[in-house]
Amino acid sequence: MDKAKDLLRDGAKAFVIGLIFSAALGAVLFLAGFFIRGLAVASGLEVMKDGLLLVAALALFTIAGMLLVKGKNPEKFSKKNGWRKHFRVMGYKSVLGIICAAVLLAASAADYALLLMRK
């Protein structure tokens, strides 16, 4: 039961990190698209969506490459790197996958906002 709580805690922490990362990156991309493409909100949302999807796709390809090279063996962590201080159960591939899911959720929200604007 304790391992399940740690797994949920690690997953929630990774998801929150992903949301914070996608909000920060999305804000930068939105402002870049807004100012470069002519002060239009739709242009900012389009650049934000495209940029977030590009980042998520590259991260997912990285995860796939890590799985192909190393396999699905559990990661070996040394005592010095401090990973287990932040994530007790999950490894870095799982955490990166959850962060990608959060980035994809933010890109989907931007795409939905674009859809609502075009109606």
Side-chain angles (χ1 to χ4, degrees):
M1 187 65 176
D2 194 36
K3 189 171 183 175
K5 285 171 66 174
D6 287 340
L7 186 65
L8 285 174
R9 186 177 298 126
D10 286 353
K13 188 184 289 188
F15 192 74
V16 168
I17 289 170
L19 287 179
I20 291 170
F21 171 74
S22 60
L25 181 63
V28 169
L29 291 169
F30 176 80
L31 289 174
F34 181 75
F35 288 120
I36 292 172
R37 285 189 162 180
L39 299 176
V41 174
S43 296
L45 284 174
E46 188 73 32
V47 170
M48 179 178 133
K49 176 193 68 139
D50 292 344
L52 288 175
L53 287 175
L54 179 67
V55 167
L58 291 174
L60 287 172
F61 277 122
T62 303
I63 293 171
M66 287 189 298
L67 288 174
L68 285 173
V69 170
K70 193 172 180 179
K72 293 186 180 179
N73 296 332
E75 294 87 359
K76 307 287 190 282
F77 293 102
S78 64
K79 301 278 185 191
K80 294 180 183 178
N81 70 5
W83 180 267
R84 292 290 174 215
K85 185 170 47 172
H86 298 289
F87 297 101
R88 294 182 184 174
V89 178
M90 287 187 172
Y92 56 92
K93 292 178 224 174
S94 302
V95 170
L96 187 57
I98 292 174
I99 290 172
C100 286
V103 171
L104 287 173
L105 181 69
S108 299
D111 192 35
Y112 186 67
L114 274 171
L115 179 71
L116 291 179
M117 287 179 65
R118 290 183 181 152
K119 284 187 177 181

